[in-house]
Amino acid sequence: MTHIRGPISVFTPGRRVLAAAALTALALTGCGTEQSGGGRQSGSAGSSTVSQQPSPERAAAAQALFDRFEKACPDPGVNSRRPTGASKPDPDEPETVAPGETPPADPIEPAHPTGPEAELDDRDWCVSAHHEQRIIAELQMLADPTPAKVRAALNGLGYTDERIHHLKQDGKETRFHLDLREDGGRLCASGLAAGAVSDVVPCVAAAEGPFKVTSEARP
């Protein structure tokens, strides 16, 4: 709250009334009271609603961060985690079978990955690793990871409010999602702020439209 310095006696009775009204207006504005007619709306720290648009400088800094990570990673389109086909056994390699067991008649195909492993390519995983490393390091320093503190930490790392979603308290922990989509990509991050055991893993979001998680491995 704004404090008026100086002795109160300098105000005449009429001016005291005006000063009190001005202080009340400043207090209501500073606390983010919900206003009608297009005014600023208040929201809890866990809300995914954007309270205000980032400044041009902050938006440019965030974009530079994303561009730097993408330049450090391979070209999109390659997914080395998805098997290209069934592997054929080497006829010169002897089969090892436990005593009493019958060797399989057909070759065993590797299990096909699902979720983020199947839908994200090597570039996505590389970009995600860069984001995860810096976010986890920051969250591990939060002794009491409330939604408000987690949002402030993410903002400090350059992630603007419109990229922060589903921020909510879960016991002593805070869960959240980050929209990391760029140029039609589907990358997002699922975060858990829990002090020393904080974690961030990749997830998959809808390619277009409002942010919506379509696949993630976190339970």
Side-chain angles (χ1 to χ4, degrees):
M1 179 179 293
T2 304
H3 297 279
I4 304 298
R5 296 183 180 180
I8 297 299
S9 59
V10 300
F11 294 102
T12 63
R15 289 179 180 176
R16 287 180 185 177
V17 174
L18 293 175
L23 288 173
T24 302
L26 285 173
L28 291 175
T29 303
C31 294
T33 303
E34 185 171 347
Q35 301 175 358
S36 60
R40 191 170 76 116
Q41 294 184 346
S42 62
S44 65
S47 173
S48 61
T49 302
V50 179
S51 58
Q52 59 183 359
Q53 292 296 324
S55 65
E57 293 79 9
R58 173 167 287 189
Q63 188 59 52
L65 176 71
F66 278 71
D67 292 343
R68 177 160 57 89
F69 289 165
E70 289 190 349
K71 289 179 181 179
C73 292
D75 293 333
V78 177
N79 187 348
S80 59
R81 290 168 173 77
R82 186 186 299 119
T84 56
S87 58
K88 295 182 180 180
D90 187 351
D92 297 330
E93 185 72 20
E95 295 184 1
T96 56
V97 181
E101 291 186 0
T102 304
D106 299 323
I108 301 176
E109 297 184 4
H112 291 277
T114 59
E117 288 196 358
E119 300 181 63
L120 299 177
D121 59 22
D122 291 354
R123 180 186 183 88
D124 292 328
W125 286 91
C126 175
V127 171
S128 181
H130 284 287
H131 287 288
E132 293 166 25
Q133 183 178 8
R134 63 198 304 269
I135 295 171
I136 292 174
E138 184 70 18
L139 295 180
Q140 286 177 336
M141 295 188 295
L142 293 180
D144 182 23
T146 62
K149 290 182 179 180
V150 171
R151 180 183 292 278
L154 294 173
N155 287 159
L157 291 173
Y159 302 100
T160 51
D161 281 342
E162 67 266 21
R163 289 191 178 272
I164 304 172
H165 298 269
H166 311 154
L167 189 65
K168 63 180 181 180
Q169 189 91 32
D170 185 4
K172 295 183 178 181
E173 306 166 345
T174 292
R175 297 179 181 271
F176 62 92
H177 286 95
L178 276 179
D179 183 359
L180 303 179
R181 295 177 296 177
E182 286 289 311
D183 300 325
R186 304 180 61 194
L187 177 64
C188 63
S190 173
L192 175 66
V197 294
S198 297
D199 188 28
V200 179
V201 297
C203 60
V204 184
E208 298 179 353
F211 178 78
K212 179 181 179 182
V213 178
T214 60
S215 178
E216 63 180 316
R218 186 184 298 282

